Structure formats: C-alpha cells, structure tokens
Amino acid sequence: MSDKVVVRFAPSPTGPLHIGGVRTALFNYLFAKKHQGTFILRIEDTDQTRFVEGAEAYINDALKWLGMSFDAGVQEGGEHGPYRQSERAKEGLYRQYAEQLLKAGHAYIAFDTPEELDAMRERLKEAGSQVQQYNYVTRNTMTNSLTLSAEEVEKRIANGDPYVIRMKMPRKEEIRFHDIVRDWVVFHSAQLDDKILLKSDGMPTYHLANVVDDHLMEVTHVIRGEEWLSSTPLHVMLYRTLGWEDTMPKFVHLPLILNPNGKGKMSKRQGDKLGFSVFPTTWQDPETGNESIGYREEGYLADGLMNFLALLGWNPGNDEELMDEARLIELFDLERIGNSGTKFDLDKLKWFNQTYIRQKSVEELAPLVRAELAKVGKDAVSEELLAGLITLLQERVTLLPDFATMAPYLFDAPTEFDEKTTRKKWKGEVPALISELADKFEGLAEWNSTTAHDEFQAFLQAKEVGLGKVMAPLRLALTGLGSGPGIFDIADLMGQAETVERMRKALEVLPSAE
C-alpha cells in the first residue's frame, strides 16, 4: 500500500441519502483534499432485496448539488468507475475470497433452512438465553459443513441445495483495533456471531464486499458512522484471516448526529414529528409517491449547509465558524473529531444560511432567486427588477424562497392594508398630505431612490410635519404593510408611475380622514 491517502464514501441505494451520510461524505472529502489524496464513490448494492429504484440517482444528484467531486467511482464514469458492488460480484470477485477462507478453515458452508434457523432461535429463547445467535455454540447443532461429512456436503451442493458461507468466528480471542476517534476498542470473539459472508444467491454480504473492496482499492482510512463500530471486529478478523492485516486501513467512527431537541439519533420519524428534514434534497418514494422535502428545496445554500455540517462533531481548534471549502480543507484534522453525539441545531443552520446569502454577490444569487420567483409564477421579471429585489432583501432573508414571498408588493399592488397601521396612521390630514406628495412625485423629471427621498424631505420641510407623520402612511399606500425595507428603494424599483398610481389608489380605498 502506498503512502497516498485513499478514502471512500460507500452508500447503499436502499433509499435517499440521509443528512448523516452527507456529513460522512464531507469528512471523507475534506480529508482526501487536505492530503491531496483520492476520494472514491462506491455504491454498495449487494443487498438486492432492499434496492430502491431511483436511490442511486438521488445520491448522485445530492452529492453533485453539494459540490463534492470524486476522483474515482463517479456516476459519469472515469478511469475507475462507476463502482457498483453488484457488477463486481457478477465477475466472481468476492466469491474467490470466500472460498479462500473456506479452504483455510476460517469459514464454512451452511445449509440451514429458514425454518431450522427459527427453531434454533426458539430453543435458545426457551432455554433462557438472552442471545439467539448462530455462533460457536449453536453451529455444532446446525446443518453445515462442520456437522456434515464432506461427501454429504458435496452431494447437497451437487443437488443444488441452497447454502451460504459463514465466517467461523474463533471462540476465545480478543479483537483489538485502534480508532482515531475512540482510541483502542476491544471486543471478545465469544460475543460475536458467525456472520454470513456469501449469500445463497451468490452475492456477498456487506461485510465481505466492504473489506475486499477496501483492500483492493487500497483504502487507507475508513471514515464512517458510529453505527458501523460493532461490525468492525468482524472486518478486522477478515483482514487477519485473508492475510491483509498489515495493510488494514485506519478506522474513524464518527459521532452520532442527534435530533434538534438533543434526544436520540436524527431520524426521519422524528423529523416528520417535529417538522425538520433529514434529506439534502427532496425525495419522492417510488412506491407511495410521498415526498419528503430536502434542504435544497427549503431554500438552503449548499456551501452554507456544508459549513454547518462540518462543525457537527468536528472543530477547527479555534473560534472560527464561517469557513469556505478551501478553509475547511486547510483546517480539517481527524484528531479534532469528537466522540460524543452532537445536536442538529436548526436555528444555527438558518444563521449559516442567512450569513451565506448576505455574502453572495447579486450575480451569484440571481439564478437561484429567479428559480424561486418562477415557482410563484413570476417568470418574466426583468434583470433590473431581479437585481433590485436581491439588493433590497439580501440583508433580511433567511431562506431563498423568502425572496419570492417577502416583497409581493414589488410585483402586485396591495389589495389589503395593515389594519393597525391604517387605524393609527391613516387619519387627520394624512390623506391630503399623501395626495399632495403624489403630485410632487409625479412632477419629478428624474426618478430614483435619491430624487424621491430628496423630494420627500423637501415636502416635509415645506409642510412643517415630522417624518413619522407621512413615512408610515406612504409605506402603507405603496406596500400595504407597516414595516419593511427602505421605502425609497421600493419606490425606485416600482417606478415613478406605479408609485404615484398606488398612492392615489390608496386614497380611494382607505377610510376617509376623521
């Protein structure tokens, strides 16, 4: 194995990519880029019974949106890809290693039927055993190559009897491995069962395919979620028994991402209950047709989401929070990953998104905002109005759809007016002042936010009235609201004629002066 860093992200196409999987992919990506290494995408699809149509395409689309580029195993192909374990299995890649373990006595053939397996578990349950496993004790009572003669085994195989190949876990052996996050981890083989390595359909299980591929692809670091920690002793045993222990990768098991309330692993069930998403992009279930909204469709920016996810379980060693990709790569260090679960703080994510929106240029936001406007039927917005809208709202929005919903008055004259503002501000001499101000605005030879503001100030001075007496009614007339962005910026975007028309329309529809 070379000294070059090689990591992989290996999702299974059994459904949409969870946000925890995105965090795993990100940590692999940052580590590879930090060390000028190789970042591999590998689709682990050996469990065909759980395959979900469209899941692989979803994974690729989500990762593409998030901006993570792979060096091998990419969907579009490439020198080494795409990597799909189902295709590699058809070439007999994994079977040869299962048979190698058989010949060396580290695995055995098992013919047990589902009924026999159920009966074994029931016997153990009735005997008061808390663990109903196929292991070093029960294997001697089952139908396998350890209890059958060699002739009987050959006969059954020749007859086409279905069988699996199981790992023969040693009875008394300490399995120790080092984890960069958790230090030394110890399991005892007596606690482990004889996992299936090769299924009756000839496909490998996750465990065998995972270890074989990591070895053949010269993976140097396995960075994955905490839920795979309990599988690692089996993987270590496979490295040992296959003679690959000297090239075994270093393990990094990432801490859990907890629900926003801090209780339990972040899950779709809790997301549906508490109203938050667990998916990067919207997923439509191919069986039910039900949609689960994603963060992209909710209006989050990819780079803001990635910055936020990077800080879930990792810290840069300083007080920095806002870090672009280059800075994240520069600072990323596996040694700074914590070992305790971290809460998915939605308010913090919104803060990141708001901050990233503010940092974008108008040109960067324009296509994103135009897409949001199209969703509400405002497809024909001019480039000038689009730029003005972004400038007007950029400091106020939290999510991208806010651009399309926070200022509807820019596209349509108000038909309803804030009741409280109307009651408190639209009274006395105000209608007469608004009428006269409309005439002043109409007579301006040049129209922009500055000229409108200057004319307004001159009007107040001439009439000897305070700002508050006319400003709120003017806003009410133009927008129907009692508060919002700079009213003269709004007037500039509306244009001179529309501004004057709305002021006069308000005089018609709002209550007469007291």
Side-chain angles (χ1 to χ4, degrees):
M1 183 180 292
S2 70
D3 293 332
K4 183 179 181 180
V5 164
V6 179
V7 296
R8 83 304 194 268
F9 178 56
S12 298
T14 54
L17 180 62
H18 189 279
I19 203 73
V22 174
R23 197 267 306 261
T24 297
L26 174 62
F27 281 19
N28 277 278
Y29 174 77
L30 295 176
F31 184 65
K33 297 304 177 186
K34 172 70 175 285
H35 298 280
Q36 295 81 50
T38 298
F39 182 36
I40 296 171
L41 174 62
R42 189 172 74 214
I43 303 298
E44 299 198 337
D45 58 348
T46 57
D47 190 348
Q48 295 293 293
T49 62
R50 297 178 62 217
F51 176 81
V52 174
E53 189 68 35
E56 183 182 335
Y58 173 90
I59 291 168
N60 280 285
D61 176 63
L63 294 174
K64 182 178 180 180
W65 170 61
L66 292 164
M68 280 185 275
S69 57
F70 293 87
D71 302 300
V74 292
Q75 174 64 20
E76 291 79 14
E79 183 180 353
H80 302 291
Y83 292 127
R84 295 190 187 91
Q85 287 182 333
S86 59
E87 295 175 358
R88 293 160 70 81
K90 291 174 183 177
E91 300 169 359
L93 176 65
Y94 306 109
R95 175 175 285 276
Q96 62 179 301
Y97 295 104
E99 291 177 349
Q100 178 182 327
L101 292 169
L102 274 176
K103 291 176 183 177
H106 298 301
Y108 58 94
I109 292 172
F111 297 97
D112 311 284
T113 64
E115 293 75 19
E116 289 174 324
L117 293 171
D118 288 341
M120 177 266 290
R121 297 187 186 100
E122 189 60 32
R123 287 195 302 272
L124 291 171
K125 188 176 180 180
E126 291 176 357
S129 174
Q130 294 184 349
V131 180
Q132 295 93 46
Q133 289 184 334
Y134 202 124
N135 58 17
Y136 71 94
V137 174
T138 55
R139 70 168 75 119
N140 296 319
T141 65
M142 304 302 289
T143 311
N144 54 52
S145 58
L146 301 176
T147 59
L148 300 173
S149 66
E151 292 76 13
E152 179 65 18
V153 171
E154 290 181 7
K155 180 181 177 181
R156 284 175 176 255
I157 293 176
N159 287 339
D161 290 6
Y163 68 89
V164 299
I165 296 179
R166 288 182 178 272
M167 183 71 177
K168 186 181 179 183
M169 293 299 292
R171 180 173 181 176
K172 295 181 179 180
E173 189 165 332
E174 186 177 80
I175 305 172
R176 301 176 77 247
F177 59 91
H178 187 264
D179 185 283
I180 290 177
V181 171
R182 298 160 197 282
D183 204 15
W184 287 98
V185 182
V186 180
F187 284 84
H188 294 279
S189 61
Q191 302 172 322
L192 307 173
D193 60 339
D194 293 352
K195 293 290 187 187
I196 295 173
L197 302 178
L198 202 71
K199 295 178 284 188
S200 58
D201 62 1
M203 292 290 281
T205 59
Y206 159 81
H207 303 290
L208 178 64
N210 178 279
V211 169
V212 168
D213 279 342
D214 282 349
H215 173 73
L216 296 180
M217 295 177 184
E218 298 187 338
V219 170
T220 59
H221 296 75
V222 170
I223 305 171
R224 60 190 178 189
E226 180 181 285
E227 62 270 23
W228 295 110
L229 186 63
S230 61
S231 297
T232 307
L234 170 58
H235 300 171
V236 171
M237 288 302 299
L238 285 169
Y239 279 106
R240 288 182 187 175
T241 53
L242 287 167
W244 301 336
E245 191 169 12
D246 290 344
T247 57
M248 186 168 66
K250 296 177 181 178
F251 294 105
V252 184
H253 288 92
L254 307 177
L256 293 176
I257 298 178
L258 306 178
N259 288 309
N261 60 10
K263 299 178 181 179
K265 179 182 177 181
M266 189 177 181
S267 67
K268 183 180 184 301
R269 183 174 64 83
Q270 285 297 307
D272 292 341
K273 181 179 178 180
L274 301 176
F276 63 88
S277 178
V278 298
F279 303 132
T281 61
T282 293
W283 164 256
Q284 184 172 44
D285 190 300
E287 292 188 3
T288 65
N290 294 334
E291 272 195 350
S292 297
I293 195 72
Y295 285 99
R296 177 176 64 186
E297 288 71 23
E298 285 189 352
Y300 289 89
L301 296 172
D303 45 4
L305 177 60
M306 297 295 267
N307 189 165
F308 168 76
L309 288 176
L311 294 171
L312 293 184
W314 170 80
N315 74 83
N318 55 37
D319 295 331
E320 285 186 70
E321 287 189 302
L322 295 170
M323 291 170 277
D324 61 13
E325 180 179 306
R327 184 62 172 160
L328 287 171
I329 291 170
E330 177 186 351
L331 295 177
F332 191 75
D333 185 347
L334 295 177
E335 302 289 344
R336 301 205 67 84
I337 297 174
N339 60 12
S340 58
T342 181
K343 183 174 71 172
F344 192 93
D345 189 336
L346 279 170
D347 290 335
K348 191 68 173 180
L349 174 57
K350 289 178 180 178
W351 176 82
F352 269 101
N353 203 63
Q354 185 179 55
T355 304
Y356 269 78
I357 286 176
R358 290 175 177 177
Q359 292 179 344
K360 297 284 185 188
S361 67
V362 171
E363 291 72 24
E364 289 174 310
L365 288 172
L368 302 174
V369 175
R370 185 173 288 284
E372 295 298 334
L373 292 172
K375 294 176 185 177
V376 296
K378 304 300 179 184
D379 306 71
V381 173
S382 68
E383 291 297 323
E384 182 181 4
L385 180 56
L386 178 64
L389 170 69
I390 293 171
T391 302
L392 186 71
L393 299 180
Q394 192 169 2
E395 294 294 317
R396 292 174 169 265
V397 302
T398 299
L399 302 172
L400 289 174
D402 294 343
F403 281 106
T405 59
M406 284 184 69
Y409 46 78
L410 287 179
F411 311 105
D412 301 294
T415 56
E416 297 180 355
F417 297 85
D418 182 71
E419 183 179 345
K420 183 178 179 180
T421 305
T422 301
R423 186 175 64 254
K424 289 189 172 184
K425 299 294 184 179
W426 196 270
K427 59 185 181 179
E429 62 179 327
V430 165
L433 291 171
I434 292 295
S435 177
E436 190 173 345
L437 181 60
D439 292 338
K440 295 289 185 180
F441 280 168
E442 188 175 31
L444 284 174
E446 182 181 357
W447 183 258
N448 55 53
S449 60
T450 301
T451 58
H453 175 267
D454 291 347
E455 183 65 28
F456 178 77
Q457 291 292 346
F459 177 77
L460 295 181
Q461 187 173 0
K463 290 295 181 179
E464 297 183 346
V465 295
L467 178 73
K469 192 173 187 67
V470 185
M471 178 67 82
L474 175 61
R475 181 183 298 280
L476 184 70
L478 298 185
T479 70
L481 303 175
S483 62
I487 193 61
F488 300 107
D489 292 326
I490 293 173
D492 184 16
L493 289 172
M494 287 180 180
Q496 184 174 19
E498 180 68 15
T499 298
V500 172
E501 182 178 345
R502 290 191 187 188
M503 293 171 72
R504 290 177 174 159
K505 183 68 176 179
L507 291 168
E508 296 176 9
V509 300
L510 289 176
S512 300
E514 295 176 354

